[in-house]
Amino acid sequence: MQIPPMYNSVVTSPLYDCLRNPDHLPPSVINLDWSNDDVTVDPEVQIKYNLYTMHRQMIKQSKSPTEFFGNPYRAGDDITTLNGAGEIEQTPHNNVHSWTGTVVDPSNLINMGAFYSAARDPIFYAHHANVDRMWTIWLNQLKGNNFTDPDWLNAYFIFYNEEAKPVRVRIQDCLDTTKLGYTYEDVPILWLDASTRPQPRAKAKTLPSAPDPAQVFPTTLDKPINVIVQRPKKSGSGSSEEILVIEGIEYDKGNYVKFNVYINEDDVNASHPDNTEYLGSFSNLPHGHRMSYKTNKRFRISEVLEELGARDYDRVLVTLVPKSVNPVKINGVKIVFDS
Ligand SMILES: [Cu+2]
């Protein structure tokens, strides 16, 4: 879990890029949950945390293609009502970008650390091929369902072919990698193993008191926030899967933004990627331009509450912890049934 040697030689490798974080060159082990700060963790522990992070993101939180990939965004849609990016785009994808790029100042990361400059670093292509590989694993080993929405299948991009002529490539033509002439090497995938499933730090906790979301939001997330959130009551048919929704996250797309989300956790500093209480995070990789943006973030929590021994609780403690200095405003936190 280090930058491979072929990318590292200043003298001989055309894959070398000087604009990588100097603290993250080998033997530094990648932190798939990186929050723009380096905490000293034993490399063996870091590898273990990364496996837990992958298990959580690929298996626990990504049960549908939209959870993996992100929600549809069609021309004319009101972006403020969308449920936003997919789990995998945020973690590990965004974190690998920001971990690899150089930190110029706390809010500006290049090359890999920002959208506009990421592809200047040759390692970008390996990173994105690996996201493609993860999608293949999710579809095949994890038996995920592919999208069937015609808007998605018929969407296209224009590329140049080997004769420098523009050609239209539809998504439906790219679904089977064997037709594109490649497959990924069949290697052991350690995070598929049940031993990498995050475990509760403590079960059936007595929850500390905290305000109701209506008393706190909307607010700027500039310090950790605790709220006690009411769970919905089941009535009639429909999904009983509960989703924690962080509503109306407002930020500037030009900024690096990250915050972590915990459930029924009374000590966030003791909670790590190997703990069930750590649900995951929201992140934004900086774009090259300013644009105010508003989106939502969803987390699956039914299995999590079961594992925490909190299935029968009618309320849960939700904690948001900012991991970046750039302004981010939150409009609400609620729990709904999946629809
Ligand atoms: Cu990327």
Side-chain angles (χ1 to χ4, degrees), residues 40-52:
T40 311
V41 173
D42 182 82
E44 291 304 311
V45 174
Q46 185 59 64
I47 289 169
K48 192 184 81 164
Y49 283 170
N50 288 341
L51 296 176
Y52 282 107

Side-chain angles (χ1 to χ4, degrees), residues 31-264:
N31 175 358
L32 296 181
D33 190 46
W34 198 60
S35 299
N36 214 359
D37 60 342
D38 283 313
V39 216
T40 311
V41 173
D42 182 82
E44 291 304 311
V45 174
Q46 185 59 64
I47 289 169
K48 192 184 81 164
Y49 283 170
N50 288 341
L51 296 176
Y52 282 107
T53 297
M54 288 302 295
H55 188 105
R56 182 189 73 218
Q57 294 300 107
M58 290 284 287
I59 298 178
K60 290 186 81 170
Q61 290 292 339
S62 296
K63 305 263 193 215
S64 70
T66 48
E67 283 168 343
F68 184 109
F69 244 133
N71 286 270
Y73 180 17
R74 295 177 175 86
D77 277 354
D78 173 11
I79 57 169
T80 60
T81 62
L82 297 179
N83 280 315
E87 283 294 329
I88 303 303
E89 178 179 345
Q90 304 227 317
T91 303
H93 165 266
N94 281 359
N95 299 338
V96 172
H97 271 281
S98 45
W99 181 87
T100 309
T102 303
V103 180
V104 174
D105 66 62
S107 63
N108 187 8
L109 305 104
I110 56 171
N111 275 341
M112 270 285 277
F115 262 94
Y116 74 92
S117 55
R120 293 175 188 166
D121 184 339
I123 209 167
F124 167 88
Y125 300 93
H127 172 40
H128 271 256
N130 198 38
V131 175
D132 182 51
R133 175 178 154 269
M134 282 157 52
W135 174 241
T136 311
I137 294 167
W138 189 83
L139 285 176
N140 299 331
Q141 268 109 314
L142 294 170
K143 308 287 176 222
N145 296 317
N146 214 329
F147 290 101
T148 52
D149 184 335
D151 280 358
W152 188 74
L153 294 171
N154 294 323
Y156 61 81
F157 300 89
I158 304 289
F159 292 98
Y160 288 98
N161 68 9
E162 61 279 15
E163 291 161 2
K165 300 254 166 54
V167 288
R168 187 186 300 257
V169 179
R170 290 185 193 280
I171 287 178
Q172 60 188 279
D173 301 328
C174 306
L175 299 182
D176 182 353
T177 68
T178 55
K179 285 190 189 146
L180 298 170
Y182 69 92
T183 52
Y184 290 105
E185 191 181 359
D186 192 11
V187 294
I189 300 163
L190 301 178
W191 52 260
L192 285 175
D193 194 89
S195 66
T196 63
R197 190 174 185 84
Q199 296 298 312
R201 210 171 61 75
K203 274 193 164 188
K205 288 188 195 86
T206 307
L207 300 182
S209 62
D212 186 85
Q215 296 171 266
V216 174
F217 300 109
T219 191
T220 302
L221 182 62
D222 52 7
K223 58 181 180 310
I225 290 176
N226 282 310
V227 280
I228 293 274
V229 186
Q230 193 75 34
R231 292 171 67 190
K233 297 257 184 308
K234 189 91 183 80
S235 66
S237 56
S239 172
S240 56
E241 175 69 36
E242 285 171 69
I243 308 287
L244 173 70
V245 186
I246 316 296
E247 282 186 299
I249 306 163
E250 294 181 47
Y251 58 98
D252 192 303
K253 279 218 149 192
N255 288 337
Y256 173 80
V257 170
K258 187 170 189 266
F259 62 85
N260 290 353
V261 181
Y262 302 82
I263 195 159
N264 288 7

